[in-house]
Amino acid sequence: SLHHSLPFIKLFTKKIMDKLDLSIYPPKEGAEGGPSLDKAVRIFLPDMGAAAMVRSDWKLGTGEDDLPLNIATSNILNDVVDERDKCVIIACPLYSEADAVKRILADCDDRNLPCILINPKLVNPDQGYGVRKSIVLSTLVSHLSHRSETSAE
């Protein structure tokens, strides 16, 4: 569930941002000027309420809690990848959001951005795992295969 995944997502996001040199922290006391927020990592969450809760609980943009200033949260169903985004994380997408996941993956693919899915549940067990699972998996594999072929050229 999203609730149980959030502590991992928080730590993972900070680590991946540091590793990819995407973290922007508040300037040290006495430093001149403010930070340039020209790059960001966007976390897509299931709804606006979850996105707002993460912004509030993690104190995003405040420099508190040792998190970079440039983490953005968005609603998976209505929001899009921003031009400042350098990495996208999709947190706990559900089967009802599979089309939104495909849209975001395609957008990331077009922009050559890394896209990380954490704890996806893209198949509805009530509908069976057969056809729906095959469609979702083949779409995801297709996007990933296309990206690896493109990057090899």
Side-chain angles (χ1 to χ4, degrees):
S1 76
L2 178 64
H3 175 73
H4 291 100
S5 298
L6 285 175
F8 169 79
I9 294 168
K10 182 179 182 180
L11 178 63
F12 178 82
T13 302
K14 181 178 179 350
K15 294 291 184 186
I16 196 108
M17 290 179 77
D18 289 345
K19 198 65 139 169
L20 296 175
D21 197 28
L22 294 174
S23 298
I24 298 174
Y25 291 98
K28 301 289 183 202
E29 194 170 315
E32 298 282 326
S36 169
L37 299 178
D38 61 342
K39 56 187 177 180
V41 170
R42 183 163 308 278
I43 303 172
F44 283 96
L45 295 146
D47 55 53
M48 291 185 298
M53 180 193 70
V54 166
R55 278 192 299 274
S56 174
D57 289 354
W58 293 3
K59 299 174 176 65
L60 292 181
T62 66
E64 295 179 32
D65 208 9
D66 197 32
L67 287 172
L69 295 173
N70 54 327
I71 297 173
T73 61
S74 293
N75 171 357
I76 193 169
L77 295 175
N78 299 325
D79 295 330
V80 296
V81 178
D82 187 84
E83 63 187 31
R84 298 177 312 119
D85 296 341
K86 302 300 179 206
C87 181
V88 170
I89 297 171
I90 303 176
C92 306
L94 301 173
Y95 65 91
S96 59
E97 299 155 349
D99 290 336
V101 170
K102 289 189 261 184
R103 173 183 49 82
I104 292 167
L105 283 172
D107 202 9
C108 288
D109 193 38
D110 291 345
R111 298 170 189 230
N112 199 28
L113 296 176
C115 183
I116 302 161
L117 276 80
I118 297 177
N119 199 12
K121 292 185 187 318
L122 296 173
V123 179
N124 181 356
D126 294 336
Q127 295 177 348
Y129 285 97
V131 175
R132 179 72 173 162
K133 180 179 181 181
S134 297
I135 291 170
V136 170
L137 288 178
S138 67
T139 302
L140 293 175
V141 169
S142 159
H143 279 291
L144 295 174
S145 297
H146 174 70
R147 282 192 74 143
S148 65
E149 291 168 6
T150 306
S151 63
E153 294 175 355

